Amino acid sequence: MKFFEDFGMDFSVRCLLSGVRDGTAEVGEVLVTVERITDGDPDSWLEEFCGLGRRLLAESDVASGQGRRRTGWGLALRAANYLFGGAWWAPVTHRSGEVLALWEQHRTAWDKAVALWPTPSAAVTIPTPAGGLPGYRFSLPASQQPRGVVLMVQGLDTPLSDACMTGLSEGLRRGWEVVLVEGPGQGAALLRNGLSLADDWTGVVGAAAGWARDAAGGDATPLVAMGVNHGSWFVLDALADGSLDAGAVVLDPGVVELRTDSGVAVDDPIASAKLLMATGADDLQGALAVMDRYRMGPEALGSVATPAFVAEAQSAQSFVGQGDVVAAGLAGTVHVESFIDAAGAGLDCEIGAPQVRNAAVYDWLDSFGTKGSD
């Protein structure tokens, strides 16, 4: 079944629908919006989904103002996801000059959702060698003893609302605290702090992990580092250089170099625009040269002895084959989990089946720290 003939739009609908269980989308809202979009027309996509997001954010303001916090939270969370998803095509629309303004609308909705979260949560500034970086801490109720903390590092152009379906919500349900951090080339670190991939990630993940562990209870707190998309490289590199101390690591997928995944930018104007923004380069060749810095050789890979979960999606379009290199090259115990098309989990980062993905990840993590809630 296809929602659109345009592959990017069809994939994006699947991304949006994947968030239904975790509150970042509603099936009916997505489907009626899709009906109003012209297949392959980025302007109509942007206007329809951003319009939906703005409407829900306004409704969230009304609900929270009336003391209906839970309703306000749900509306704001969906608004954040729709606003980001709607603005994805901005570089090739008549609103190409409004990328930052559209991103700020998404972030306003996300911050409102965090402020209304049903469990304790807050925006934080995490001290790192790259300066104070934007992050978010999600805790458990005071009556519940956390089993540990998960530090999540996501892709370069991944909205924080995506974290809900790639580990945040399920982590909280299973008794883990969760910390999100944005580094050079990502989110607010890029668009507000001015840090691009041309800046240095060295020590960032390790510092964020240390902060997360201290906030959750100190050195005795079990810590898991979870890399999603490009974030897998940043996590793995931090393990290789010794700056990250984690009890276990989740890599979805395994990544040893970022340049390979950037080849699409040569022929894709959206990918090209986003790559230029993330790298801080003036042209595509300069951007690819920046990406070339993010490579990991066999020796560095072989120095990592941390137990690892490596996700492998059958029909992934990004970082194809790199997970095999990671699994074969790590020195520690490696669990490779294959996610297949027949289960609806074969796309990148298991888009389409986050419950399948998260069950596998957190069941594997049951061997670390204290047992979480089933």
Side-chain angles (χ1 to χ4, degrees):
M1 173 187 176
K2 284 187 176 181
F3 298 98
F4 291 107
E5 289 301 318
D6 182 279
F7 175 81
M9 287 188 175
D10 188 73
F11 183 79
S12 293
V13 175
R14 297 172 193 276
C15 290
L16 290 169
L17 290 174
S18 291
V20 169
R21 189 210 182 194
D22 296 314
T24 63
E26 183 71 272
V27 174
E29 288 173 344
V30 173
L31 295 183
V32 297
T33 304
V34 163
E35 289 177 356
R36 296 193 297 268
I37 294 172
T38 302
D39 197 344
D41 177 14
D43 283 278
S44 66
W45 174 283
L46 184 152
E47 294 304 331
E48 292 296 341
F49 271 111
C50 285
L52 173 61
R54 286 191 293 269
R55 175 172 66 80
L56 296 187
L57 181 56
E59 292 178 7
S60 174
D61 290 340
V62 171
S64 59
Q66 295 174 344
R68 296 182 287 124
R69 289 179 57 88
R70 188 81 181 211
T71 297
W73 169 64
L75 287 163
L77 191 57
R78 301 202 307 279
N81 211 32
Y82 296 150
L83 283 164
F84 188 92
W88 178 261
W89 273 269
V92 292
T93 69
H94 71 287
R95 299 181 68 175
S96 59
E98 300 176 49
V99 171
L100 178 58
L102 291 166
W103 179 86
E104 287 286 0
Q105 291 178 19
H106 138 77
R107 194 59 162 233
T108 295
W110 169 255
D111 282 338
K112 185 171 185 62
V114 172
L116 296 171
W117 211 271
T119 56
S121 60
V124 296
T125 299
I126 300 176
T128 77
L133 292 180
Y136 293 84
R137 182 188 178 203
F138 297 85
S139 305
L140 302 175
S143 61
Q144 187 175 355
Q145 178 66 33
R147 60 165 300 183
V149 60
V150 176
L151 174 71
M152 291 187 66
V153 184
Q154 299 194 100
L156 290 177
D157 197 23
T158 304
L160 289 175
S161 53
D162 264 20
C164 296
M165 64 181 179
T166 55
L168 167 57
S169 298
E170 187 67 11
L172 292 171
R173 282 190 287 265
R174 296 207 185 200
W176 292 85
E177 292 197 356
V178 180
V179 171
L180 312 179
V181 64
E182 292 177 315
Q186 293 180 312
L190 172 68
L191 297 173
R192 289 178 178 171
N193 295 18
L195 294 172
S196 73
L197 270 180
D199 296 293
D200 199 350
W201 268 83
T202 301
V204 166
V205 175
W211 184 94
R213 179 182 274 129
D214 289 344
D219 291 343
T221 303
L223 181 134
V224 173
M226 184 180 295
V228 180
N229 201 285
H230 305 86
S232 288
W233 193 93
F234 303 128
V235 167
L236 195 53
D237 182 62
L239 289 169
D241 70 19
S243 61
L244 171 60
D245 177 22
V249 61
V250 175
L251 305 172
D252 187 6
V255 181
V256 289
E257 60 179 65
L258 299 189
R259 166 67 185 264
T260 301
D261 194 53
S262 304
V264 66
V266 175
D267 301 313
D268 185 334
I270 298 176
S272 178
K274 292 180 182 298
L275 185 60
L276 289 174
M277 182 179 293
T279 58
D282 295 326
D283 55 45
L284 189 56
Q285 289 307 309
L288 294 176
V290 171
M291 298 296 272
D292 266 333
R293 303 180 192 176
Y294 295 89
R295 293 178 180 268
M296 183 171 301
E299 184 176 349
L301 192 61
S303 69
V304 177
T306 305
F309 177 107
V310 179
E312 184 178 81
Q314 183 178 359
S315 295
Q317 302 290 306
S318 301
F319 307 115
V320 177
Q322 294 196 35
D324 293 337
V325 176
V326 170
L330 292 174
T333 302
V334 179
H335 172 81
V336 177
E337 186 78 22
S338 296
F339 295 97
I340 60 175
D341 295 336
L347 295 176
D348 293 87
C349 298
E350 300 70 54
I351 289 300
Q355 294 184 64
V356 174
R357 181 257 190 202
N358 287 325
V361 167
Y362 282 100
D363 285 351
W364 181 77
L365 287 175
D366 275 347
S367 59
F368 302 98
T370 58
K371 289 286 184 181
S373 302
D374 290 329

